[in-house]
Amino acid sequence: MNQMNYRELDARYYMPAFSREIMIERGSGSKVWDAEGKEYIDCVAGIAVCSTGHCHPVVTRAICEQAGRLIHCSNLYYVPGQAELARKLVGICGMHKAFFANSGAEANDGAIKLARIATGRKRFVAFTHGFHGRTLGSLSVTHKPAIREPFQPLEPACTFVEYGDSAGLEKVMDENVAAVFVEPIQGEAGVIIPPAEFMKNIRELCDATGALMIADEVQTGMGRTGRWLAIQHTGVQPDIVTLAKGIASGFPMGALLARDGIEFRKSEHGSTFAGGPLACAAARATIRVIEEVLPDVERKGRRFAEQLASFGPRQRGLMIGITVGEPCPAVQKQCAADGVLVNCAADGNLRMVPPLVITDDEIDQAAGVIGSALSELSR
Ligand SMILES: Cc1ncc(COP(=O)(O)O)c(C=O)c1O
């Protein structure tokens, strides 16, 4: 079916919550092909999901082998691969124990519950322009008014502080705060990197008030910034970390990790699908691939950003944002026409989060196309 007919089918039967144009049919490495056979270098990667690229043979093989043995069995039983994955994640994130979810939002919902149980408190603090998901729990700590307002009143109660404003945070912290939710780099906001001391200041204010520090690494984790976690660049140890997106190369999975002394006890949390055999197989294979490419992520990111230096990129590893403003959608469209997928995050910020396996050649080609589109349309 061509893209035109498919668009009609979609309009007839699928709720119109998204606006989209291209139909991607196939992917390999950092490239995808649409239904008309047009090739693109994919600097969206399912929004920082396809960390190992599309259909990496190690990941595809692991999923297929597991699918041939056991697709699902329920958490009523020991799940093959689950404890091994938990051990691995605990090790690379420097945490104590893991629990699984099916998405980033669900991992954050789990973190909200865990923080409430661990502290006995109900109030949360999060930051302006932060994004933590669309389930009612994760939405309540998400700032963007346009996506919150239709669902008010939201629980838990959350106070928002300007991202990066440590003095502002100090003013709202007290003994009622269960946790501070923070993205070490804001992704949906458009790759916003906070002041160097911000994570340390949050840690200190949490310690002073007995609140937990929750690092939402759903977008920044799993090697995206050149370390397993973006917060590892700062030397700060959070109490809870949430992961999803890049964790299983596109197989739906989320995870939360907690330090010693914070855990769900019997019946406090659960999920039918979370941490199932297929997701765990995909995640374990993904981690094996990321282990190989991780040492090169910072260099690749710098190579990408240097070629766009005149446009003022914000970059950490393979997470790059450029403030474009109003012409951002036109730039996105021009790049797609020229064979490169990029996307506009909030506030006219162009975002590039390509697979961690992207090659130097692909980086150079993509940067060339993006640079030309920006020169043509954004000045
Ligand atoms: C930082 C962050 N947290 C949470 C989420 C929600 O993840 P999901 O869409 O898997 O529910 C996202 C998604 O963009 C995100 O970027």
Side-chain angles (χ1 to χ4, degrees):
M1 190 176 288
N2 67 27
Q3 294 188 54
M4 205 54 213
N5 295 343
Y6 201 83
R7 203 168 290 153
E8 283 163 20
L9 193 68
D10 183 82
R12 170 75 183 82
Y13 290 108
Y14 202 69
M15 296 188 194
F18 305 103
S19 56
R20 44 198 177 188
E21 302 242 321
I22 298 167
M23 178 180 177
I24 295 172
E25 221 172 44
R26 189 165 62 83
S28 175
S30 297
K31 296 208 170 124
V32 291
W33 289 265
D34 72 14
E36 258 85 59
K38 182 175 161 69
E39 179 178 294
Y40 304 85
I41 298 173
D42 186 4
C43 295
V44 176
I47 315 187
V49 167
C50 309
S51 47
T52 59
H54 294 276
C55 308
H56 192 290
V58 171
V59 178
T60 302
R61 202 177 316 123
I63 293 172
C64 291
E65 280 175 12
Q66 185 58 47
R69 250 196 324 274
L70 183 71
I71 291 178
H72 180 73
C73 62
S74 164
N75 283 308
L76 291 173
Y77 310 100
Y78 289 112
V79 178
Q82 192 182 75
E84 293 94 318
L85 176 62
R87 178 177 59 186
K88 191 76 204 175
L89 288 171
V90 158
I92 61 185
C93 297
M95 302 300 279
H96 188 67
K97 279 195 180 166
F99 201 79
F100 294 115
N102 301 290
S103 67
E106 232 189 75
N108 284 333
D109 274 7
I112 289 170
K113 288 173 75 175
L114 197 50
R116 286 189 56 168
I117 289 169
T119 62
R121 304 173 183 182
K122 292 196 176 77
R123 194 160 76 80
F124 285 76
V125 173
F127 297 98
T128 53
H129 308 290
F131 186 86
H132 301 289
R134 290 171 182 271
T135 56
L136 289 171
S138 60
L139 190 60
S140 68
V141 290
T142 289
H143 175 249
K144 197 175 182 179
I147 64 171
R148 285 172 65 80
E149 286 319 314
F151 305 102
Q152 293 282 22
L154 285 161
E155 281 285 337
C158 184
T159 306
F160 292 98
V161 173
E162 193 69 30
Y163 189 59
D165 179 6
S166 301
L169 180 62
E170 188 171 4
K171 287 196 193 116
V172 304
M173 291 298 286
D174 60 31
E175 271 75 34
N176 295 314
V177 176
V180 176
F181 251 92
V182 65
E183 293 167 84
I185 296 171
Q186 289 187 328
E188 293 308 292
V191 189
I192 309 299
I193 302 172
E197 296 298 292
F198 190 46
M199 293 301 124
K200 195 165 129 292
N201 294 343
I202 296 174
R203 179 71 272 173
E204 284 172 6
L205 288 167
C206 285
D207 289 343
T209 53
L212 302 185
M213 179 178 186
I214 301 175
D216 179 342
E217 296 260 5
V218 165
Q219 189 159 155
T220 50
M222 300 311 294
R224 171 60 45 198
T225 67
R227 306 257 174 110
W228 286 106
L229 302 177
I231 202 164
Q232 288 170 341
H233 291 277
T234 71
V236 168
Q237 188 66 21
D239 300 295
I240 298 175
V241 171
T242 56
L243 298 167
K245 287 193 181 278
I247 194 172
S249 299
F251 198 96
M253 178 173 234
L256 60 93
L257 299 138
R259 68 157 164 77
D260 198 6
I262 302 177
E263 60 185 14
F264 288 121
R265 289 154 305 189
K266 216 164 274 306
S267 307
E268 282 180 339
H269 197 41
S271 157
T272 296
F273 293 119
L278 271 184
C280 289
R284 290 170 65 210
T286 296
I287 291 171
R288 287 202 296 279
V289 176
I290 296 177
E291 274 171 339
E292 275 172 32
V293 298
L294 189 58
D296 217 14
V297 167
E298 293 204 52
R299 183 197 63 79
K300 286 185 192 179
R302 276 196 306 274
R303 183 184 182 106
F304 207 145
E306 272 162 15
Q307 297 181 63
L308 298 168
S310 60
F311 304 100
R314 299 177 296 277
Q315 173 256 336
R316 190 60 54 80
L318 280 165
M319 191 170 185
I320 304 169
I322 297 176
T323 299
V324 179
E326 217 177 289
C328 199
V331 171
Q332 177 184 318
K333 204 166 174 187
Q334 183 62 51
C335 288
D338 294 338
V340 175
L341 298 180
V342 293
N343 100 303
C344 295
D347 304 324
N349 284 309
L350 197 69
R351 172 177 49 183
M352 280 72 70
V353 279
L356 307 183
V357 299
I358 193 168
T359 64
D360 285 359
D361 264 4
E362 288 163 340
I363 288 172
D364 298 349
Q365 276 180 56
V369 165
I370 296 163
S372 302
L374 284 169
S375 302
E376 206 177 301
L377 295 161
S378 75
R379 289 185 166 162

